[in-house]
Amino acid sequence: MKKLKTFPLLFLVICFAHEDLCSQENKQKQNEIVINADFGKYKISRHIYGHFAEHLGRCIYGGIWVGPDSPIPNTRGIRNDVVTALKDLYIPNLRWPGGCFADTYHWKDGIGPRKDRPSIVNVHWGGVTEDNSFGTHEFMDLCEQLGCDAYITGNLGSGTVQEMAEWVEYLTSNSESPMTSLRKKNGREEPWKVRFWGLGNENWGCGGNMTPEFYADLMRRYSTYCKNLGGNKLVKIACGPNGSDFNWTEVLMKEPKNRWMMQGLALHYYTVMDGWGHKGSATEFNEWEWISTMNATLKMEELITRHSTIMDKYDPDTRIGLYVDEWGNWFDVEPGTERGFLYQQNSLRDAVVAAVNLNIFNNHCDRVKMANIAQTVNVLQAMILTRKEKIVLTPSYYVFRMFKVHQDATMIPLTLKCEDYRFEEKKVTALSASASRKEDGTIHLSLTNLNPNKPIDLKCEIRGSKVFKVDGEILTAPNMNDYNDFGQKEEVYPVEFKGAKLNGETLMIHLPAKSIVVLELK
Ligand code: AHR
């Protein structure tokens, strides 16, 4: 009886609570962004727009390197079409030779006359034999053709300290020494500049299955012998955590003697759909897989925040950068391709993921000093796909091209209030954004609508700067799994954006579903 009497009251309470929640949600539905255009003190390092090319599948061999005798147009063996496309991204750096491959790579196998180089088995990636025709000289030539900084990962897992020290000497020394003589004998008189140096890769896994304490001891030892020679200054990057391994970061950061030996700590995090059990197809997916991918990729925000919090504790002056030197989507390989080659197509979903992550990196540019999408050609979330002489620019490529305006600009802090995008039991934020200011005052605002079904109207208030003109580009496509393919008309490519209207200090933006927009405000 008592229970029955209290029921109507309970019912009313539930109704009011529900209404309150709903009105909160409705309030949230006012999608708003405030840009403080005259604020901002951190530069978005261009190295956030970095790339990664491993001896894996068809990334180097076939994708970048075809050899000087190939009918495919090349410069000293390096594909001209790939170089031209990457230069258009203002590619700032290229990480090489791996990945897991780096901790099995013995650099002396890849120098000298190509016909004399030994063949090796790539034990991590498909067990294929490679002839080492792409080695140190070819990689440095590639960086020179691209006009980008070299990021070389040394072999700490299975190579010796002497081997790593000699590689640095071979590359960068201008003193008379056995290594410089060898370099000269192999045709390179002047030393190269090598800016970034990795002290192993994933040494918690494929790079030796080490504990953080053991790795830290080794890292200091190897770092000691990698010297700054001939005016070259290395930025040394230690192997960092696997995703949410916060203990790894804690161990590496807490000891001052570790911190002295590194200028960067790497973070690896791949977007793998949560709760699915397998990775799923890159092109054949439904909305549940779309939102699961978004949910998994947005975890990058939490990972960077939490690793940065640990780093802030020991390095409040941000002397040591967080280098997200492997990130991107990891799906099942394309049917009919070698499992160990990690070849996947790239759809509009990849483009949205790229934009979301680049916005996250931009907004964390006080600590994030570099990021490298995995990988440049024919592997995982690639910029470029090649098939013999043919080339495809992926939707991810176009995001990098649109976002290049942020390189080395000052990050503008913004506040974003927006609705959620929901599907079944999952919920993610519907919008992602970042903004920056160039030295001449031009502002760039990048926006992404993660909802594949619903366009979003967004009010943007610009404080601290007078804006008279707005231009922009948009990347979208009719279907969420549209992609660009060989011999087909391009499905996903940027076009002029006409959905922004300026009204005094307010900008009204109509963002189509599943779209990426970059605006230029002058
Ligand atoms: O990018 C593919 C692989 O993923 C890399 O070799 C390795 O570092 C990571 O596990």
Side-chain angles (χ1 to χ4, degrees):
M1 243 359 220
K2 208 172 167 202
K3 259 187 195 157
L4 270 182
K5 270 190 194 160
T6 51
F7 176 74
L9 187 64
L10 196 66
F11 181 71
L12 275 179
V13 171
I14 290 170
C15 285
F16 279 128
H18 177 74
E19 217 167 87
D20 195 41
L21 275 178
C22 289
S23 67
Q24 273 178 24
E25 252 182 37
N26 284 338
K27 263 188 225 148
Q28 250 199 12
K29 280 189 180 136
Q30 308 246 335
N31 296 296
E32 269 179 18
I33 195 162
V34 178
I35 298 180
N36 298 298
D38 53 346
F39 284 17
K41 48 183 179 174
Y42 300 108
K43 189 159 123 175
I44 299 173
S45 169
R46 66 180 183 282
H47 293 294
I48 283 177
Y49 292 82
H51 295 266
F52 170 34
E54 179 167 10
H55 289 233
L56 194 178
R58 295 188 303 110
C59 184
I60 296 290
Y61 294 105
I64 290 172
W65 175 257
V66 286
D69 301 330
S70 170
I72 298 172
N74 68 82
T75 303
R76 295 178 294 280
I78 297 166
R79 288 183 79 123
N80 293 345
D81 49 1
V82 168
V83 167
T84 306
L86 291 175
K87 279 175 89 165
D88 209 16
L89 300 182
Y90 300 170
I91 175 174
N93 68 68
L94 187 60
R95 180 171 180 253
W96 174 84
C100 295
F101 180 80
D103 282 298
T104 61
Y105 184 60
H106 300 284
W107 68 272
K108 284 183 185 161
D109 292 346
I111 55 169
R114 281 187 209 109
K115 62 174 178 33
D116 298 339
R117 297 184 193 175
S119 287
I120 54 160
V121 175
N122 190 332
V123 290
H124 285 294
W125 306 117
V128 291
T129 298
E130 74 152 81
D131 64 2
N132 270 308
S133 49
F134 190 88
T136 300
H137 289 250
E138 290 76 15
F139 174 67
M140 295 309 295
D141 186 13
L142 171 64
C143 290
E144 284 179 345
Q145 289 188 35
L146 292 169
C148 76
D149 280 313
Y151 175 5
I152 294 183
T153 300
N155 178 349
L156 180 141
S158 71
T160 63
V161 179
Q162 183 181 356
E163 190 182 350
M164 197 188 286
E166 284 183 346
W167 202 5
V168 173
E169 189 185 321
Y170 185 91
L171 283 155
T172 61
S173 174
N174 57 3
S175 309
E176 229 183 274
S177 79
M179 286 305 114
T180 52
S181 306
L182 187 57
R183 184 189 70 226
K184 289 177 188 176
K185 190 175 140 226
N186 289 332
R188 174 78 187 196
E189 189 62 31
E190 292 303 313
W192 290 282
K193 289 275 180 255
V194 177
R195 178 132 181 230
F196 301 104
W197 193 266
L199 298 161
N201 169 75
E202 295 194 354
N203 302 93
W204 36 260
C206 65
N209 285 303
M210 302 173 194
T211 63
E213 291 80 6
F214 182 72
Y215 171 75
D217 288 345
L218 280 188
M219 180 276 289
R220 289 196 310 277
R221 183 159 167 245
Y222 280 73
S223 178
T224 305
Y225 297 98
C226 292
K227 301 279 187 206
N228 291 328
L229 305 169
N232 186 68
K233 201 158 187 312
L234 295 172
V235 174
K236 293 183 213 166
I237 299 147
C239 164
N242 176 18
S244 58
D245 184 354
F246 301 111
N247 180 53
W248 187 282
T249 302
E250 180 73 31
V251 171
L252 266 284
M253 289 299 296
K254 81 171 173 232
E255 287 293 334
K257 58 184 188 218
N258 292 344
R259 298 201 297 274
W260 294 331
M261 303 311 264
M262 63 184 187
Q263 288 79 49
L265 184 70
L267 164 67
H268 288 187
Y269 175 65
Y270 282 96
T271 299
V272 182
M273 260 187 295
D274 49 328
W276 187 242
H278 67 274
K279 297 187 176 83
S281 160
T283 51
E284 301 294 313
F285 56 86
N286 56 31
E287 188 171 349
W288 195 89
E289 291 169 273
W290 169 284
I291 195 168
S292 299
T293 304
M294 297 304 145
N295 196 37
T297 217
L298 284 162
K299 198 174 170 213
M300 184 66 91
E301 170 71 40
E302 183 200 322
L303 291 178
I304 290 178
T305 306
R306 294 187 62 186
H307 286 294
S308 299
T309 306
I310 299 168
M311 294 177 82
D312 290 349
K313 193 164 57 167
Y314 301 113
D315 176 36
D317 300 329
T318 59
R319 197 188 60 81
I320 298 173
L322 187 59
Y323 284 58
V324 191
D325 61 14
E326 283 186 36
W327 69 275
N329 278 330
W330 194 319
F331 299 120
D332 293 338
V333 297
E334 288 304 310
T337 66
E338 164 67 49
R339 224 176 122 238
F341 282 11
L342 311 185
Y343 175 76
Q344 65 192 40
Q345 247 295 356
N346 193 293
S347 74
L348 178 62
R349 178 175 58 168
D350 293 86
V352 171
V353 161
V356 165
N357 281 279
L358 292 173
N359 281 334
I360 294 173
F361 302 147
N362 285 349
N363 291 330
H364 283 278
C365 66
D366 56 330
R367 181 64 76 177
V368 177
K369 299 294 176 198
M370 182 189 280
N372 304 70
I373 188 154
Q375 298 191 3
T376 315
V377 192
N378 292 333
V379 169
L380 299 177
Q381 190 173 348
M383 300 289 106
I384 298 169
L385 304 176
T386 66
R387 185 184 287 165
K388 299 209 171 107
E389 77 293 350
K390 294 204 181 79
I391 177 172
V392 161
L393 303 179
T394 65
S396 299
Y397 172 91
Y398 286 121
V399 172
F400 272 73
R401 204 174 75 181
M402 289 164 76
F403 273 60
K404 70 183 178 187
V405 291
H406 290 302
Q407 291 191 17
D408 284 341
T410 303
M411 188 267 283
I412 300 177
L414 51 79
T415 48
L416 171 67
K417 274 198 256 161
C418 72
E419 63 190 64
D420 292 325
Y421 154 51
R422 293 161 187 264
F423 183 75
E424 294 184 352
E425 82 289 0
K426 294 210 182 264
K427 177 178 93 169
V428 296
T429 177
L431 294 179
S432 142
S434 70
S436 69
R437 186 180 60 244
K438 289 264 179 229
E439 255 171 35
D440 68 358
T442 308
I443 297 166
H444 290 103
L445 171 63
S446 42
L447 298 160
T448 309
N449 180 357
L450 281 69
N451 192 323
N453 305 311
K454 188 177 167 234
I456 291 180
D457 287 303
L458 173 70
K459 185 175 155 206
C460 174
E461 200 184 314
I462 305 153
R463 294 185 186 157
S465 176
K466 276 260 164 286
V467 171
F468 301 99
K469 190 168 174 278
V470 51
D471 290 307
E473 262 192 321
I474 180 168
L475 186 73
T476 186
N479 306 299
M480 60 186 173
N481 54 355
D482 280 339
Y483 58 94
N484 300 333
D485 208 355
F486 298 96
Q488 311 283 323
K489 178 180 132 300
E490 252 192 344
E491 297 285 343
V492 193
Y493 56 92
V495 294
E496 189 186 350
F497 180 62
K498 296 192 179 130
K501 299 273 167 298
L502 197 59
N503 185 1
E505 285 177 0
T506 308
L507 194 57
M508 292 306 300
I509 306 164
H510 180 76
L511 277 179
K514 53 179 167 23
S515 67
I516 298 129
V517 165
V518 176
L519 297 177
E520 180 169 276
L521 313 174
K522 281 191 170 176

